[in-house]
Amino acid sequence: MLTALAIAIAALLIVALALFLFTRWYTQRLDTLYPSRGQFVEIEGGRVHLTDTPAVGAARGTVLLIHGASGNEADMRLPLAARLAALGFRVVSVDRPGLGWSARLGGRDDASPARQAQLLRAAAEKIGVQRAIVIGHSLAGVLCLQLALDHRSFTQGLILLAPVSHPWPGGIEFYYTVAARPVVGPLFAHTVTLPIALASINAALASVFHPQMTPGDYRARTAVDLVLRPTNFQANAQDVAVIKDFVTREAPRYRAIAVPTVIVTGDKDGIVYTHIHSAGCAKDIPGATLTVLPGVGHSPHWAYPDAVVQAVLQVSERMKVPRL
C-alpha cells in the first residue's frame, strides 16, 4: 500500500516538475518572440509600457487607449491608433499593470481599477499628457469610469467599448478564482495554466470575436500569448477576481460623471451582458449616448473601428460645447 502511494506521489511530482520546466522554457520563448514594441515609463519605482503615436497634421488632442482582460496595448492600438492619428489625435496605448510588458508595481494591490487608473494617469503625465479622451474595452471600462470620477482634471471624455461596469448574475470562470489565490495561484500558474491555455487559446479568441471571425494573424500581431506567462496570468486573474465586488460598490457613483460619454457595443456580445453594462452606463451617466452595432460581438473596435472613431469625434465636438 505504501509502495503504491509512494509511486503515485513520485509520479505526480515528476509530472509537476515537467510542467514547471515546460512553462519556464515556453515563457522564455514568448519573451523572445514578442519583445516590447514601445517605451517604458518609470513611475513609483516601477515601469509602465506604452506606445505613443503622434498626430498627423493639426493637433486635436490626445486619446488614451486601455485594453481589457487578457490583452495588451496592441489589441487597442492596431485597429484604432493610425485612424485616430490621421485625424489629428495623439494616441497613447498602454499595457495595464501586470499585463503585456508593464510591471505589477504593487503586487495584488494593483488589481484595483482605482489603483490602475491612478498608475496609468501617472504614466501618461510622465510623457506630457495632461488631459485625454479615454477609451477602454471590456474590463477597462471600469478604469475609464474611475478616471472620470476620481481624475476629472485629466479626463476630457469617455468612450466605453463593450464595457464591464455593473454587477451581474453569476460569477467568473473557476481558473481565474484559482489563479488569483495567494498560495495555490502561483503553483497553478507555473505548472498547469500555460499548457492548457495553449491548447484552448484559439477557441477562446473565437468566442471573444464571435460572430465575427478572429482577425487574421491576431495572435502574432497582438502578442496576446504574453498573458500565458505565469506572472501575467496571475495578474490577469487577480484583475478579474476583484471586478464584481468593485463595480457593485462603484456603480451608484456613475451619476456624478460629468464628461461627454459614448458607449459602443454589439448586440451579439457573448462575453459581457450588453443589457446590464452598456445599457446601465447609458442610463446612469448623464448625457451618455449608446451605439449598439447589429451583428457585432465583444470586440467592436476590431469589427467596426470606424464606429469608435466616430465616437471620438462626437466626444471631441461635445467637449467644445459649454455645459449649462
Side-chain angles (χ1 to χ4, degrees):
M1 185 71 173
L2 288 176
T3 301
L5 179 61
I7 291 174
I9 292 173
L12 183 62
L13 290 174
I14 290 171
V15 171
L17 178 60
L19 291 171
F20 172 80
L21 292 174
F22 174 80
T23 296
R24 184 172 181 179
W25 168 78
Y26 204 88
T27 297
Q28 294 172 343
R29 184 170 183 265
L30 290 173
D31 290 346
T32 302
L33 283 173
Y34 305 118
S36 59
R37 308 176 182 85
Q39 65 188 87
F40 291 97
V41 177
E42 298 289 337
I43 57 170
E44 298 187 23
R47 65 183 189 174
V48 168
H49 176 254
L50 56 83
T51 57
D52 189 354
T53 305
V56 177
R60 301 178 65 169
T62 301
V63 174
L64 178 66
L65 303 178
I66 310 177
H67 66 88
S70 304
N72 60 67
E73 61 84 25
D75 176 71
M76 298 288 282
R77 172 175 53 84
L78 288 174
L80 298 176
R83 287 177 168 88
L84 292 170
L87 295 173
F89 293 98
R90 178 185 182 184
V91 183
V92 178
S93 185
V94 293
D95 283 341
R96 289 193 295 104
L99 294 174
W101 285 99
S102 286
R104 193 71 160 187
L105 308 179
R108 297 176 62 85
D109 291 342
D110 283 354
S112 164
R115 173 67 172 161
Q116 292 195 14
Q118 176 187 3
L119 292 170
L120 295 185
R121 176 185 180 175
E125 290 183 335
K126 198 72 178 289
I127 61 170
V129 177
Q130 299 301 319
R131 305 197 74 194
I133 297 171
V134 182
I135 306 180
H137 174 236
S138 194
L139 183 144
V142 187
L143 274 71
C144 294
L145 294 163
Q146 285 297 301
L147 284 165
L149 288 167
D150 297 337
H151 303 270
R152 300 185 186 190
S153 63
F154 177 84
T155 309
Q156 294 177 294
L158 297 181
I159 291 93
L160 307 174
L161 307 179
V164 175
S165 57
H166 288 72
W168 66 92
I172 60 175
E173 297 290 349
F174 81 94
Y175 50 82
Y176 287 132
T177 302
V178 175
R181 288 176 178 165
V183 177
V184 177
L187 293 174
F188 186 63
H190 283 273
T191 55
V192 177
T193 58
L194 192 149
I196 293 176
L198 282 175
S200 60
I201 189 169
N202 286 332
L205 290 173
S207 70
V208 170
F209 286 99
H210 181 80
Q212 284 71 49
M213 299 292 291
T214 305
D217 295 328
Y218 179 85
R219 285 178 64 182
R221 294 174 66 203
T222 64
V224 67
D225 286 30
L226 289 174
V227 75
L228 305 183
R229 297 178 299 181
T231 55
N232 296 88
F233 195 93
Q234 286 178 262
N236 188 56
Q238 291 163 4
D239 291 349
V240 174
V242 304
I243 205 71
K244 186 173 183 179
D245 286 345
F246 189 87
V247 297
T248 300
R249 295 193 305 270
E250 293 295 306
R253 299 180 63 203
Y254 297 161
R255 295 188 182 280
I257 292 175
V259 299
T261 302
V262 176
I263 305 114
V264 180
T265 192
D267 67 354
K268 300 298 183 184
D269 191 337
I271 305 297
V272 173
Y273 294 117
T274 296
H275 69 284
I276 292 176
H277 302 276
S278 294
C281 285
K283 176 184 176 183
D284 291 346
I285 300 172
T289 60
L290 172 61
T291 299
V292 180
L293 303 174
V296 171
H298 186 56
S299 294
H301 52 305
W302 282 90
Y304 198 176
D306 287 344
V308 182
V309 172
Q310 287 302 312
V312 175
L313 294 175
Q314 290 175 36
V315 166
S316 182
E317 287 302 311
R318 289 167 60 186
M319 284 160 42
K320 300 174 184 178
V321 179
R323 299 181 69 85
L324 300 178

